[in-house]
Amino acid sequence: MKIAVFGTGVVGQTISEKLEQLGHEVTMGTRNVEQALSRTNKDSFGRPAFGEWHSKHPKIKVAAYGDAAAFGEFIVNATNGTGTLPALEQAGKKNLAGKVMLDISNPLDFSKGMPPTLFVCNTDSLGEQIQRTYPELKVVKSLNTMNAYIMVNPSLIPEDHTVFMNGNDADAKSKVKDLLMSFGWKEKNIIDVGDITTARGTEQLLPIWVRLYGSLKNPMFNFKIVVARPD
Amino acid sequence: MKIAVFGTGVVGQTISEKLEQLGHEVTMGTRNVEQALSRTNKDSFGRPAFGEWHSKHPKIKVAAYGDAAAFGEFIVNATNGTGTLPALEQAGKKNLAGKVMLDISNPLDFSKGMPPTLFVCNTDSLGEQIQRTYPELKVVKSLNTMNAYIMVNPSLIPEDHTVFMNGNDADAKSKVKDLLMSFGWKEKNIIDVGDITTARGTEQLLPIWVRLYGSLKNPMFNFKIVVARPD
């Protein structure tokens, strides 16, 4: 499949690499290609600059958001939450219309210090904002509740654990589910929470996620929904 | 131990019953004792009215918030979130000072329809509001992320699952932990997330909880934090 991945951070890189391994054609979307590739500083987690990473993945193309969106039959949004709507504006309504978007973004606001707060929550969500702004795009929020390495390699956690999906379109959710299963997710561990308004719930898992990262001193964990014995 | 349980709903009843079984002396606190005991309607879940429930648990006393608070060496807050601060005002600052409170409340706002939203979240929490208003009370938020029956009987879920704690006072958290373990919680499943500001994270689990209740059509589930293999 031809897939556009928006965002060149750790989530975009990790997802793109996995998609390439699975045989997809990947074009990563960014605001300014030249600028993204010429970055030389390590990021705040000490990982290599995007240009260095990309030189090791030459089959993955990098393009402006509009060109990446035009290329992709399927779109992955791995931008920072604050950058999501500006990125989609650059991608362009007509390049998004009718396509399925796996939305991994979270509305994290780092401007008020750590841990981040959410810039939209409770009565709205970033998933809904995207869906409202691009009604012809089929938004499925998923994978946003865990570390990037776990997203594409769920077996890093030896026992079962959960990935949520939120979206309005059943066919789009089915396509995202297939993609998740190709990443190694077991069908029984994929919970379809409901329509895109249920993204409020999954995005609001981030505040406990960031605090557990603090108290466990380890980002390599996930949520599992466990159910009682039937009566 | 002499324990005051604020609130006569399902959480207050379930916790009080468990505490009585464990040999504690329990006084439930309510706004108006006569009114609470004279309720005859089943609640919205079809459970018996409080008076009927209480007639089967005659050893559990029922008193006004102030009297219950004066009685309790340890306090459990099982009021509805909207009723919490008014209840504590009736309990009275001097009856709360120096005591440990296990706070199970959630800031759920049902006034805008279902599913409920949160009346405080993201940059504040109900746990923090209580702690700020009663600085001499030692607030430990816990148990608020699951169904009442699971709170007092974690083995209803056959595998391990998680209960969170948030609070500023280490000694108070240790007392709450002892109580949780007396309910059947394994020590390894009790996660101390941090100070009372981390209650934002656990209270914000409610939006996904209510939606999972909708999609699973079953309230008898819980969250489990599962961690990756060490490298």
Side-chain angles (χ1 to χ4, degrees):
Chain A
M1 195 158 53
K2 290 180 173 176
I3 302 182
V5 176
F6 293 171
T8 57
V10 62
V11 178
Q13 290 173 24
T14 308
I15 295 283
S16 295
E17 200 172 327
K18 182 71 171 193
L19 292 171
E20 187 208 4
Q21 285 166 9
L22 291 170
H24 298 288
E25 286 180 71
V26 179
T27 297
M28 296 177 83
T30 188
R31 196 169 48 81
N32 181 319
V33 176
E34 207 178 333
Q35 215 170 68
L37 288 172
S38 66
R39 262 179 236 133
T40 53
N41 294 337
K42 289 186 189 297
D43 77 1
S44 56
F45 295 98
R47 288 177 305 102
F50 179 64
E52 191 180 333
W53 176 86
H54 184 252
S55 68
K56 292 174 188 152
H57 300 86
K59 283 171 68 185
I60 296 174
K61 295 191 182 68
V62 185
Y65 284 123
D67 295 333
F71 166 85
E73 307 158 59
F74 183 103
I75 294 166
V76 177
N77 176 32
T79 57
N80 290 328
T82 48
T84 290
L85 290 174
L88 299 193
E89 189 166 349
Q90 288 180 48
K93 207 160 258 197
K94 75 171 192 325
N95 294 324
L96 299 172
K99 294 179 181 172
V100 175
M101 171 180 279
L102 162 57
D103 170 34
I104 314 181
S105 66
N106 279 306
L108 294 174
D109 178 2
F110 291 88
S111 72
K112 290 163 192 149
M114 293 297 281
T117 52
L118 301 176
F119 62 76
V120 57
C121 68
N122 197 23
T123 55
D124 197 8
S125 64
L126 185 53
E128 288 165 271
Q129 291 186 341
I130 299 171
Q131 187 61 81
R132 270 202 306 277
T133 313
Y134 301 93
E136 293 180 64
L137 180 68
K138 294 162 187 167
V139 181
V140 181
K141 170 131 296 182
S142 191
L143 290 177
N144 61 306
T145 54
M146 68 196 77
N147 178 280
Y149 304 114
I150 298 173
M151 294 178 193
V152 300
N153 192 0
S155 68
L156 287 172
I157 296 178
E159 61 185 299
D160 288 325
H161 52 108
T162 301
V163 60
F164 303 101
M165 286 200 308
N166 326 92
N168 294 339
D169 188 285
D171 183 55
K173 284 198 273 199
S174 166
K175 288 195 170 75
V176 167
K177 192 174 179 176
D178 288 345
L179 193 73
L180 295 179
M181 290 173 71
S182 77
F183 287 0
W185 286 93
K186 296 179 199 167
E187 187 166 14
K188 67 171 182 176
N189 290 332
I190 304 172
I191 297 186
D192 181 352
V193 190
D195 68 23
I196 194 67
T197 67
T198 65
R200 296 174 202 177
T202 47
E203 291 178 6
Q204 281 182 104
L205 283 167
L206 269 289
I208 184 77
W209 192 95
V210 296
R211 286 169 176 88
L212 286 169
Y213 179 16
S215 54
L216 301 174
K217 304 192 194 322
N218 177 6
M220 300 299 279
F221 65 88
N222 194 17
F223 302 96
K224 178 183 183 182
I225 301 303
V226 288
V227 179
R229 282 186 200 91
D231 290 331
Chain B
M1 195 160 47
K2 290 181 175 177
I3 302 181
V5 176
F6 293 171
T8 57
V10 62
V11 178
Q13 291 173 24
T14 308
I15 294 282
S16 296
E17 199 171 329
K18 182 72 171 192
L19 292 171
E20 187 209 3
Q21 284 166 9
L22 291 170
H24 298 287
E25 287 180 70
V26 179
T27 297
M28 296 175 84
T30 189
R31 196 169 48 81
N32 181 318
V33 175
E34 206 179 332
Q35 215 171 66
L37 288 171
S38 66
R39 263 181 235 131
T40 52
N41 294 336
K42 290 186 187 299
D43 77 2
S44 56
F45 295 96
R47 287 178 305 101
F50 179 64
E52 192 180 331
W53 176 86
H54 184 252
S55 66
K56 292 175 187 150
H57 300 87
K59 284 171 67 184
I60 295 173
K61 294 192 182 68
V62 185
Y65 284 122
D67 295 333
F71 166 86
E73 308 158 60
F74 183 102
I75 294 167
V76 178
N77 176 31
T79 57
N80 290 329
T82 49
T84 290
L85 290 174
L88 299 193
E89 189 166 349
Q90 288 180 48
K93 206 161 259 196
K94 74 169 193 324
N95 294 324
L96 299 173
K99 294 180 182 171
V100 175
M101 170 180 281
L102 163 56
D103 170 32
I104 316 181
S105 66
N106 279 305
L108 293 174
D109 177 2
F110 291 88
S111 72
K112 291 165 190 144
M114 295 294 281
T117 51
L118 301 175
F119 63 77
V120 57
C121 68
N122 196 24
T123 54
D124 196 9
S125 64
L126 184 53
E128 287 165 272
Q129 291 186 341
I130 299 170
Q131 187 59 81
R132 271 202 306 278
T133 313
Y134 300 93
E136 293 179 65
L137 180 67
K138 294 163 189 168
V139 181
V140 181
K141 170 130 291 175
S142 192
L143 291 177
N144 61 307
T145 54
M146 69 196 76
N147 178 280
Y149 303 114
I150 298 173
M151 293 178 193
V152 299
N153 192 0
S155 68
L156 287 172
I157 296 178
E159 61 185 299
D160 287 326
H161 51 107
T162 302
V163 60
F164 303 101
M165 285 199 310
N166 326 92
N168 294 340
D169 189 284
D171 183 55
K173 286 198 273 199
S174 166
K175 289 196 168 72
V176 167
K177 191 173 181 177
D178 288 345
L179 193 72
L180 295 180
M181 289 173 70
S182 77
F183 286 0
W185 287 93
K186 296 179 199 167
E187 187 166 15
K188 66 171 180 173
N189 291 331
I190 304 172
I191 297 185
D192 180 353
V193 190
D195 68 23
I196 194 66
T197 68
T198 65
R200 297 174 200 177
T202 45
E203 292 179 7
Q204 281 183 105
L205 283 167
L206 269 288
I208 185 78
W209 194 95
V210 296
R211 286 169 176 87
L212 286 169
Y213 180 15
S215 54
L216 302 174
K217 302 190 195 324
N218 177 6
M220 300 299 279
F221 66 88
N222 194 16
F223 303 95
K224 177 182 184 184
I225 302 303
V226 288
V227 178
R229 282 186 200 90
D231 291 330

